Amino acid sequence: MSSTVKKIKKTSMLKKLKKITFEQPIWLFILLCVIGFSFSSEYFFDLNNFKNILVQTSTIGLIALGLTLVMINGNIDLSVGAIVALSACLAVDLQADFGMFPAIIIGLISGVVLGALNGLIVWKTGVDAFIVTLGAMIGIRGLVFVYTEEQSFFANDFAFSDMGSSSIAGIPTLALILVGFAILVHFILAYTIHGRNTYAVGGNRQASIDAGIRVGPNIVINFAICGFLAALAGVTLSSQMGAATPNLGRDFELWAITAVVLGGTKLTGGVGSIVGTFGGVIAIGILRNGMNLLQVPSFYVLVIMGVILITVLFFDRQVNMRLEKEVGR
Amino acid sequence: MKKTIKLTAFVSALMLQIGAAHAGMKIGITQNNVGVDSYQTTYDKSIKEAAENASDVDAIILDAGGNIARQIAQVQVQDLIQQNVDAIIIWPTNGQAIVPIVRKANLAGIKVIITNSNIAEAGLEFISAFSGPNNITQGKYSAEMMCDALKGEGQIVQISGQPGYTTAMERQKGFEDRLAVACPNVTIVETQPGDWNREKSQRVMENFLIKYDDIDGVYAGDDNMGIGALNAAKAAKRSDINFIGATNFAVGYEAMAKGEYYGSVYQSPVDDARAALQTAIDVLNDKSVPKMNYFDTPKITEVNMWKFTKPVF
Amino acid sequence: MVLTMTKLKNEHGLSKPNEENRLARAALNIFARQGILIVFVIFLIGFSLFSERFFSADNVIAVIRQASIIGVIALGVTIVVIGGNLDLSVGSLLSCCTVLVVDLHDILGPFQAVVIMFCAALVIGAINGYLIGYLKLNSLIVTLGMLSAIQGITLIYTGGQNVDIQNQSDTWFTFFGRDYLLGIPVPIFIFIGLGIITEIVLRTTSYGRKIFSVGGNPTAAIFSGIKKNKIVFSTYLISAFATACGALILGSRVMGSQNNVGQGYELLVLAGVILGGTSLIGGSGSAIRTIIGVLILSFIQNGLLLLSYPYYVQWLVTWAVIILAVWFDIASTRGRLFTSY
């Protein structure tokens, strides 16, 4: 009798472990990376270094938070990189005319407005978010260039760049911002009606419409939040540099999408979590930081990142193939 | 995405060096964009050589890949905080955006030397010295050559370098100012950026050729772009255009020999690199160094090109 | 599907049958189906009014030639998209192939360089095809990962340096990008030629029909015995081949390349495919319409340039055009301008 009980206990523990690993394999991956890098480089396992990682990934991290909302919602947002540039340029350039904080506010508002615009177009025209935000990505970049006339500029008020490297109680401000907003967005997703609806709409839009959920506003709000977070990323990035350039943010959308997908969010919608995205962001950050410390030539970093992305995808697929019983897709 | 090449010794290597003592100078170097054209590649090679040959110099040589955000991160994270270097040589990807981080380096007691393309005026107070060509003078030389080529009259187009890049802006200003004085009957009908890129300049020139029936001359911010424009003109069979460039490249030299290219300004990336490193060493050794250090860049045309050796880049 | 205009409904949401309604319906029908073409024609007329150079033979030929690189690649991507997938790796592949062919030209000779370039492209296409067709991984993410990896490989190959062909006038390699046949630039021949071949294959061969089927209704396709894996695999081979053709033209034109010369092309290609009316969901599309989509973008760019607007203004216009074009296309299919929720 006791051996059967033991067996059952063993199986359920294994099951739990399997569950965590399979639903969010990214954490296992992170663990492996941390172990690996700690042994390969003496600079890795260090509090300062971990703080560095958080700061270095805060830009992509903030964008990935917003992107998670949009992707769980069944959409995607390719324009986040361009919004980063626009908000950064506005926040830096307008400081001379309006002062530091009003300029930052204007930068953030620009993100909200453009995000909401994207959401509105997706709602009302029915054009797929990929296309809408592809157009926005190109067009908003155009806005940035028109506004800046291809010039870059720095913030006259050096307090702005000091803000980027400041710390509160020993923890870098930017790390606090990242973690703070991660908790906030997680709360929205997991504990509010809006969050529940987001999953529903992403899982099955038509059923949600039929169920009486106000799908349109749901979509618009998520895009607006995504735009806000992208704008915030732009402001924090430009405060780290003390400057803004019109080409800022190029390719950011790719890395953010990578982080979100690595964290377990499905491109088809309806599935995902902030915890997973945070894992994806940290994974990318650790990889980059570790390879930097090991002085891996940057060209190889590109190849490695690409291969890892595909490998994690493969592993994820293997695991989920048993759960999916479809023929074909 | 363009990325860095981290090359030489770090702190640990320095400490392992027997007999190094405190005389060792740690210099961090961040270059603009090593892969963009052969001038920058040659500069990269030269500065690596110069650093190896210099005694007591421990150099960390980086490449910003044309990305100002990366360059700022390199100065900040990789050179400034992490490594505690004695001096930083910066070839700014953008003269304006680099100002705040240069200020930070300066506040941390690190000597900053700017090479090749200068920092914006607001940043001059934070640097120890600038070493490079005098780009305004170069623009002036190109204008004088243009006046000679066109005999004082005609319509021209201008293909400028990367927007926001100090060298491009200074050459353009030097050119336009001198042109207005030396031959006011030569007019610039349009200016477009070529981004130091040969293919882009080719496309820009193609558009110019369609828009304007009468182009007597082209001023390109450097020969790499100038050759792109020349290719476009040759493909469109427009043969009576005079090309004036700057930073004479090997391709420009060859074209001049064939009579297809009128003139340029001779600028050696080897001199450029060596001057930058020497200036940094002098500054660290507390020698009195002038703020602006220019090295000589003479005109080169079909007539006098035999005096110069063909550029290696 | 009943075509209704939202404002012609009475209070009960039923449509009013009357003369205005029918005329409006007819107009919307024609406009929507050929919407993109009509917008294009309006643009052309507008530009030619403001700039007398716009419609000159020189200009038109130059524009089509400039569009040929994007166009050739777009043809390949169209096939992938009809098959129900995406390919974002084409930009990096373009960089890689251009660098390869330019670099090997002087080392091995032009013919060998071209052959090796095509082989390399097909290898990468095969990798994509295997991962997406056989392992059934998501095409957006896989090609995103490949975008990064191929870029890295290109940089490793060249060590970050530019590559150049010496003696640029002495080689037959100039044929693809710089020479003329019967007064028309060779790239145009390549572009239009490949376009016609692609369209014929899509419309008349059983292979073409299989691609449509796999993209439109994969379950049905499999049940009718079509080997979906193989078909998807082959679409990526085609896309890689098309990109290699683009690299042939580009390498021949510039004869010297930077490592990132293809960066951003994947977006322009995708925009052209979308404007051409190919649906990203799969199962429909046409090579000819992709050609039109790519030409629309190129003429807009050219028109704005001739009117002396800086090149980035064209991005704003592209934003509007893409959304409006797809919107009208979708609106015509579902029968209403705005969505109903």
Side-chain angles (χ1 to χ4, degrees):
Chain A
M1 211 36 145
S2 59
S3 62
T4 328
V5 172
K6 273 203 198 135
K7 264 199 201 157
I8 296 174
K9 277 202 176 149
K10 215 182 178 188
T11 343
S12 74
M13 249 182 46
L14 257 168
K15 266 200 182 154
K16 263 201 182 155
L17 198 63
K18 269 192 180 179
K19 192 166 183 270
I20 301 178
T21 320
F22 287 156
E23 269 183 23
Q24 289 186 355
I26 196 66
W27 293 105
L28 182 64
F29 179 70
I30 292 178
L31 190 63
L32 290 172
C33 282
V34 170
I35 296 177
F37 283 126
S38 304
F39 280 115
S40 339
S41 164
E42 48 185 335
Y43 300 112
F44 184 78
F45 206 84
D46 175 62
L47 185 61
N48 253 334
N49 192 42
F50 289 149
K51 285 189 200 169
N52 256 342
I53 294 179
L54 277 179
V55 171
Q56 284 163 11
T57 57
S58 64
T59 309
I60 299 288
L62 285 170
I63 300 175
L65 293 177
L67 210 47
T68 310
L69 274 179
V70 165
M71 283 172 68
I72 293 178
N73 211 199
N75 294 309
I76 197 168
D77 191 347
L78 298 174
S79 65
V80 283
I83 294 181
V84 164
L86 185 63
S87 79
C89 290
L90 285 173
V92 170
D93 191 47
L94 294 176
Q95 283 184 25
D97 298 320
F98 296 116
M100 191 169 83
F101 279 113
I104 293 179
I105 304 282
I106 295 179
L108 293 175
I109 291 180
S110 74
V112 175
V113 166
L114 288 169
L117 179 65
N118 280 334
L120 201 63
I121 297 178
V122 170
W123 173 16
K124 280 297 178 187
T125 65
V127 176
D128 189 73
F130 188 92
I131 298 177
V132 172
T133 56
L134 177 68
M137 171 182 181
I138 300 175
I140 296 177
R141 184 71 60 181
L143 277 179
V144 174
F145 271 80
V146 167
Y147 175 75
T148 62
E149 292 176 356
E150 294 186 275
Q151 300 299 324
S152 306
F153 26 76
F154 64 96
N156 277 304
D157 190 349
F158 288 120
F160 185 64
S161 65
D162 287 338
M163 191 177 75
S165 41
S166 61
S167 298
I168 301 178
I171 307 177
T173 315
L174 294 180
L176 286 175
I177 293 181
L178 174 64
V179 174
F181 274 97
I183 297 177
L184 182 63
V185 178
H186 176 72
F187 183 80
I188 294 178
L189 254 188
Y191 297 107
T192 65
I193 298 180
H194 175 82
R196 259 204 299 282
N197 287 344
T198 303
Y199 279 102
V201 169
N204 191 331
R205 192 183 289 194
Q206 191 53 52
S208 307
I209 298 175
D210 295 335
I213 297 179
R214 296 183 64 219
V215 171
N218 180 278
I219 292 180
V220 174
I221 292 177
N222 283 327
F223 268 104
I225 297 178
C226 185
F228 169 78
L229 286 168
L232 184 60
V235 168
T236 56
L237 179 60
S238 63
S239 102
Q240 284 180 61
M241 305 190 328
T245 89
N247 275 317
L248 212 57
R250 282 210 194 265
D251 292 339
F252 280 17
E253 58 279 336
L254 302 186
W255 293 110
I257 292 178
T258 305
V260 174
V261 168
L262 282 179
T265 301
K266 301 247 175 291
L267 274 171
T268 42
V271 178
S273 79
I274 291 298
V275 175
T277 296
F278 198 77
V281 168
I282 297 291
I284 291 183
I286 289 180
L287 271 174
R288 284 235 185 116
N289 176 279
M291 288 198 277
N292 222 3
L293 290 176
L294 289 178
Q295 298 168 53
V296 174
S298 59
F299 303 155
Y300 289 92
V301 170
L302 276 173
V303 179
I304 294 174
M305 298 297 261
V307 168
I308 286 182
L309 177 59
I310 296 178
T311 313
V312 173
L313 203 66
F314 173 67
F315 180 60
D316 187 68
R317 177 88 200 186
Q318 286 299 94
V319 156
N320 285 311
M321 277 229 286
R322 276 196 264 152
L323 310 173
E324 286 172 14
K325 289 190 175 167
E326 327 170 303
V327 178
R329 265 204 241 269
Chain B
M1 283 196 232
K2 305 159 211 167
K3 294 273 183 165
T4 56
I5 306 178
K6 238 194 183 130
L7 235 215
T8 35
F10 279 107
V11 189
S12 32
L14 182 64
M15 299 223 267
L16 288 173
Q17 236 180 340
I18 306 166
H22 292 293
M25 291 181 266
K26 200 127 152 265
I27 304 184
I29 304 170
T30 156
Q31 303 174 79
N32 169 36
N33 192 349
V34 174
V36 79
D37 63 29
S38 33
Y39 182 95
Q40 305 211 24
T41 320
T42 313
Y43 182 107
D44 180 57
K45 260 193 275 184
S46 310
I47 203 156
K48 284 175 187 161
E49 262 178 44
E52 286 199 20
N53 293 338
S55 55
D56 297 338
V57 168
D58 186 29
I60 304 163
I61 304 181
L62 303 171
D63 168 25
N67 185 337
I68 184 64
R70 173 166 314 126
Q71 190 164 62
I72 294 174
Q74 283 174 346
V75 175
Q76 177 162 21
V77 176
Q78 279 157 286
D79 285 341
L80 192 72
I81 299 176
Q82 227 67 317
Q83 315 287 344
N84 259 317
V85 296
D86 300 310
I88 302 182
I89 301 177
I90 304 180
W91 182 343
T93 300
N94 186 296
Q96 293 259 2
I98 200 78
V99 171
I101 197 64
V102 165
R103 168 181 167 269
K104 272 209 191 133
N106 181 268
L107 288 174
I110 298 178
K111 307 264 188 282
V112 177
I113 290 96
I114 305 286
T115 173
N116 186 283
S117 179
N118 211 348
I119 193 172
E121 257 194 71
L124 284 172
E125 61 179 286
F126 304 121
I127 67 172
S128 305
F130 167 76
S131 155
N134 187 333
N135 289 306
I136 299 207
T137 306
Q138 289 197 358
K140 206 174 98 173
Y141 285 168
S142 300
E144 287 165 4
M145 284 191 275
M146 184 66 82
C147 292
D148 290 339
L150 266 51
K151 318 239 187 321
E153 217 174 304
Q155 289 195 106
I156 62 171
V157 290
Q158 182 177 198
I159 302 182
S160 55
Q162 186 95 27
Y165 190 73
T166 309
T167 300
M169 290 159 36
E170 287 179 345
R171 285 187 190 163
Q172 184 171 347
K173 183 160 195 318
F175 182 79
E176 287 171 1
D177 287 348
R178 185 70 186 142
L179 199 72
V181 167
C183 44
N185 286 332
V186 174
T187 42
I188 306 178
V189 288
E190 194 172 335
T191 303
Q192 288 287 344
D195 294 352
W196 308 125
N197 182 312
R198 196 179 304 183
E199 214 253 319
K200 170 134 196 234
S201 306
Q202 196 165 334
R203 272 184 281 142
V204 166
M205 189 64 192
E206 281 165 10
N207 290 320
F208 283 155
L209 290 168
I210 295 175
K211 273 176 94 165
Y212 304 105
D213 280 329
D214 258 307
I215 301 181
D216 302 305
V218 175
Y219 170 51
D222 75 7
D223 277 1
N224 194 26
M225 300 195 295
I227 292 299
L230 177 64
N231 286 339
K234 285 205 274 192
K237 313 221 188 336
R238 302 266 286 265
S239 53
D240 48 357
I241 304 179
N242 293 291
F243 291 88
I244 312 270
T247 311
N248 185 230
F249 280 61
V251 282
Y253 193 90
E254 285 161 14
M256 255 191 262
K258 285 195 233 166
E260 297 169 337
Y261 203 82
Y262 186 87
S264 180
V265 178
Y266 197 78
Q267 180 176 333
S268 163
V270 180
D271 288 347
D272 201 356
R274 291 198 191 141
L277 191 61
Q278 193 55 51
T279 311
I281 294 176
D282 288 343
V283 164
L284 284 176
N285 282 333
D286 284 326
K287 293 216 189 113
S288 80
V289 171
K291 191 83 160 201
M292 307 295 243
N293 300 282
Y294 298 119
F295 63 90
D296 207 22
T297 55
K299 296 183 200 172
I300 173 172
T301 63
E302 295 172 54
V303 174
N304 71 355
M305 62 186 291
W306 315 109
K307 283 199 257 169
F308 301 91
T309 49
K310 177 166 146 179
V312 297
F313 55 99
Chain C
M1 222 179 278
V2 178
L3 194 67
T4 52
M5 299 265 287
T6 43
K7 39 186 180 158
L8 291 178
K9 286 183 173 176
N10 63 19
E11 329 69 76
H12 301 295
L14 302 171
S15 63
K16 285 196 249 179
N18 58 30
E19 275 308 308
E20 299 163 15
N21 200 352
R22 249 186 289 157
L23 267 173
R25 260 194 272 161
L28 188 65
N29 222 334
I30 299 178
F31 182 79
R33 223 167 280 159
Q34 309 302 332
I36 298 171
L37 273 175
I38 296 184
V39 170
F40 185 36
V41 169
I42 297 178
F43 259 120
L44 290 182
I45 297 178
F47 278 130
S48 52
L49 285 177
F50 281 104
S51 163
E52 68 261 349
R53 304 219 156 247
F54 191 67
F55 252 145
S56 62
D58 274 341
N59 189 39
V60 170
I61 290 184
V63 172
I64 303 182
R65 195 204 56 219
Q66 279 173 356
S68 59
I69 298 173
I70 297 182
V72 163
I73 304 177
L75 291 171
V77 172
T78 305
I79 298 217
V80 169
V81 171
I82 293 179
N85 292 302
L86 288 174
D87 191 349
L88 292 181
S89 63
V90 289
S92 294
L93 186 56
L94 179 64
S95 299
C96 186
C97 290
T98 311
V99 162
L100 245 159
V101 78
V102 166
D103 193 50
L104 292 176
H105 177 279
D106 284 344
I107 302 177
L108 293 177
F111 182 70
Q112 291 88 325
V114 171
V115 167
I116 294 185
M117 173 188 79
F118 272 100
C119 289
L122 288 174
V123 164
I124 295 189
I127 297 177
N128 274 335
Y130 175 69
L131 291 170
I132 299 171
Y134 284 93
L135 294 185
K136 304 202 191 2
L137 302 179
N138 182 280
S139 65
L140 174 65
I141 304 294
V142 167
T143 53
L144 220 65
M146 289 298 279
L147 182 155
S148 181
I150 299 173
Q151 219 158 29
I153 293 176
T154 311
L155 285 165
I156 294 173
Y157 174 79
T158 61
Q161 314 257 354
N162 281 6
V163 291
D164 257 297
I165 295 182
Q166 314 296 331
N167 295 326
Q168 297 184 356
S169 0
D170 280 336
T171 161
W172 58 262
F173 187 60
T174 55
F175 175 69
F176 302 105
R178 297 187 177 188
D179 290 350
Y180 292 75
L181 263 181
L182 311 170
I184 298 184
V186 170
I188 297 186
F189 278 106
I190 299 180
F191 177 28
I192 304 296
L194 282 176
I196 296 179
I197 296 176
T198 312
E199 187 71 356
I200 294 178
V201 165
L202 278 177
R203 300 282 158 213
T204 63
T205 65
S206 71
Y207 174 66
R209 261 175 287 133
K210 283 182 190 164
I211 302 181
F212 277 105
S213 163
V214 161
N217 194 336
T219 320
I222 293 179
F223 278 126
S224 43
I226 298 177
K227 298 231 172 22
K228 180 176 178 229
N229 303 351
K230 270 201 194 152
I231 300 287
V232 170
F233 180 82
S234 66
T235 61
Y236 279 95
L237 286 179
I238 294 177
S239 166
F241 177 80
T243 309
C245 291
L248 202 60
I249 302 175
L250 183 57
S252 170
R253 263 175 64 69
V254 293
M255 298 288 222
S257 175
Q258 287 155 262
N259 290 280
N260 61 346
V261 69
Q263 193 174 32
Y265 267 79
E266 60 274 348
L267 289 182
L268 299 172
V269 164
L270 213 48
V273 171
I274 292 172
L275 265 182
T278 301
S279 166
L280 287 186
I281 305 177
S284 71
S286 133
I288 302 293
R289 297 193 78 181
T290 293
I291 294 180
I292 294 178
V294 169
L295 287 178
I296 289 177
L297 283 180
S298 296
F299 274 108
I300 291 177
Q301 170 182 8
N302 173 261
L304 290 171
L305 266 166
L306 287 179
L307 293 176
S308 290
Y309 285 107
Y311 64 91
Y312 40 84
V313 170
Q314 129 213 160
W315 298 345
L316 288 167
V317 178
T318 309
W319 183 13
V321 168
I322 287 184
I323 294 183
L324 288 173
V326 181
W327 179 14
F328 286 141
D329 202 37
I330 292 187
S332 76
T333 319
R334 70 170 167 234
R336 59 197 313 128
L337 202 53
F338 294 108
T339 54
S340 55
Y341 61 89

